[in-house]
Every structure is written in C-alpha cells, then in structure tokens.
Amino acid sequence: MYCMKKPKCWPFAFLVFCLACEPSPDTSEQFVNWDTYHGDATASHYSSLDQINKSNVRQLELAWTYNSGDFDSRSQIQCNPIIIDGRLYATTPHLKVMALDAATGKEIWKFDPFNGETPSGVNRGVVYWADGNDERIIFTAGSDLVAVNANTGSPISSFGDKGKVDLRQGLDRDIGNQDIVATTPGIVYKDLLILGSRVSEGQVAAPGHVRAYDIKTG
C-alpha cells in the first residue's frame, strides 16, 4: 500500500493506491510499517517492499480517498503520514491530528489542538512512541508540542501542561513575542524526543536550540 497527498487541485486530502497482486515472499519485515517520518531514522524515504515495481505500477487503482474538511485559502498540507500496524497518522491543513484505517480510509479519531480557535503554522509529520500499552502520537501545532493517545486521540494529561509543552519556554532568555515553531517532527531516541526549531530570519531572533524532551513527562 502506498499513501500520498492529492495533486494541487485537492490539497486537503489523501489518496491511497493499491495493487492487486500477491506480496513478494522476500519482503522485509523491517518495512511492514512506515513508522518514522520519511521512512526511517535517516529519513531515507526508502522501503525494501517490492510488491509495486516498474513493471506493474501502471496497474495501480484508487483504493480510497479521505477529505479532512478543513482546507481554506490560508492553509496548506505538508504532512508526510506514518503507518503503524494498519493505522495512518497525519495532520490536516488546520493541524488537527488524526488516525485513519489505512486499508479503508475510515476515520478512527481526530484531535484539534487549537480547540476550535484559528490555527497557526504548518506541520510536516508526527512521531510515534510506545512503551508497552502506552502508545503516543507526538506532534507540533504552532508553538506547542502536543502528545495524544495513539488509540483514542485523547491528550496525555501527564505530558507537560495537560498534554502540551510551550516551545517558547525553557530557552536561555525571555524571547518576548518572537516566533519559534518546529515544523518537522523530530526523532525519538529511547524515551527522548530530539527536536529542532524554526525561528525568524531577521537580525533579532529567538535562539534556535536543538532540545530533547522527556516523552513521558514533557
């Protein structure tokens, strides 16, 4: 199964194409999931799966579409989805995080980190982390780092302040009203999320620190 964003005429939806053929017996179990932003820890964009190849790609047919319903002239979608055990996790143009059944496109849950308020910024992906039955999706929305339950979409109350961490805090100085966001999702190392940031390109800008956050507590 391959998942991709629609062309520019449909910037608010996902397309999934499937090829009806038997899986290759040599398929690597390593790539059953697409569980990291851009495929793996090196962001290689690569999968060893070979069910779809140059000889049969022309046979792809549309399997399902999903419309997030929140696209407008001020928004865009840059998210590269991840796939975990048959579920697709991604963010919408208004930065709501969602879980879909990857086989059918059926929405399982959706969470709005802005609680109905006007969203800000863009998001290019989400992070999955698990410790036993504790499964989390972590993503950025505006200047917040947000953690939700991967099965229900509910905020993790023990993470930061009721599920959110303000990226503007914890720097080596007060940045006032200066802008700081994180458009890319970062990378997991054990129980840490290592995250960069995007700051103003002007002469005066907030610090562009690379920081590590405890995934369990924020």
Side-chain angles (χ1 to χ4, degrees):
M1 177 177 292
Y2 277 47
C3 179
M4 61 198 77
K5 285 181 283 187
K6 276 193 175 183
K8 291 183 179 178
C9 57
W10 297 318
F12 49 86
F14 291 104
L15 277 173
V16 169
F17 294 90
C18 288
L19 181 69
C21 62
E22 290 300 319
S24 165
D26 297 324
T27 294
S28 172
E29 291 297 324
Q30 179 181 358
F31 286 101
V32 170
N33 288 327
W34 187 266
D35 53 10
T36 307
Y37 178 64
H38 286 168
D40 56 35
T42 66
S44 68
H45 302 250
Y46 174 77
S47 168
S48 62
L49 297 176
D50 58 6
Q51 183 181 4
I52 299 173
N53 52 56
K54 290 187 295 183
S55 67
N56 60 28
V57 66
R58 70 187 65 181
Q59 300 172 29
L60 288 173
E61 297 179 357
L62 181 65
W64 55 261
T65 63
Y66 171 82
N67 188 333
S68 67
D70 62 357
F71 174 77
D72 59 40
S73 60
R74 299 170 299 170
S75 59
Q76 55 182 305
I77 187 167
Q78 298 186 12
C79 181
N80 181 267
I82 60 175
I83 305 287
I84 309 291
D85 297 334
R87 287 186 178 183
L88 181 151
Y89 297 97
T91 52
T92 73
H94 280 191
L95 305 188
K96 299 171 185 175
V97 66
M98 61 187 179
L100 307 180
D101 184 316
T104 66
K106 180 181 178 180
E107 184 180 294
I108 300 170
W109 55 258
K110 184 188 292 183
F111 172 73
D112 181 2
F114 296 100
N115 196 28
E117 300 295 326
T118 302
S120 62
V122 298
N123 173 286
R124 293 178 180 149
V126 302
V127 166
Y128 172 80
W129 172 90
D131 182 10
N133 293 327
D134 186 359
E135 299 179 81
R136 303 184 181 189
I137 296 295
I138 305 159
F139 68 106
T140 59
S143 61
D144 287 330
L145 179 65
V146 185
V148 299
N149 184 294
N151 294 306
T152 66
S154 301
I156 303 294
S157 59
S158 59
F159 182 88
D161 182 11
K162 300 178 181 178
K164 295 183 179 181
V165 170
D166 187 347
L167 297 175
R168 297 162 55 86
Q169 303 300 317
L171 299 169
D172 54 14
R173 60 181 171 84
D174 183 2
I175 66 171
N177 293 322
Q178 291 177 313
D179 187 43
I180 181 168
V181 296
T183 52
T184 50
I187 192 73
V188 171
Y189 173 71
K190 297 182 178 180
D191 292 338
L192 297 177
L193 174 68
I194 301 172
L195 188 68
S197 57
R198 188 188 75 184
V199 299
S200 169
E201 297 180 6
Q203 184 175 4
V204 179
H209 297 330
V210 176
R211 291 180 279 181
Y213 291 89
D214 186 310
I215 294 177
K216 294 184 177 181
T217 66

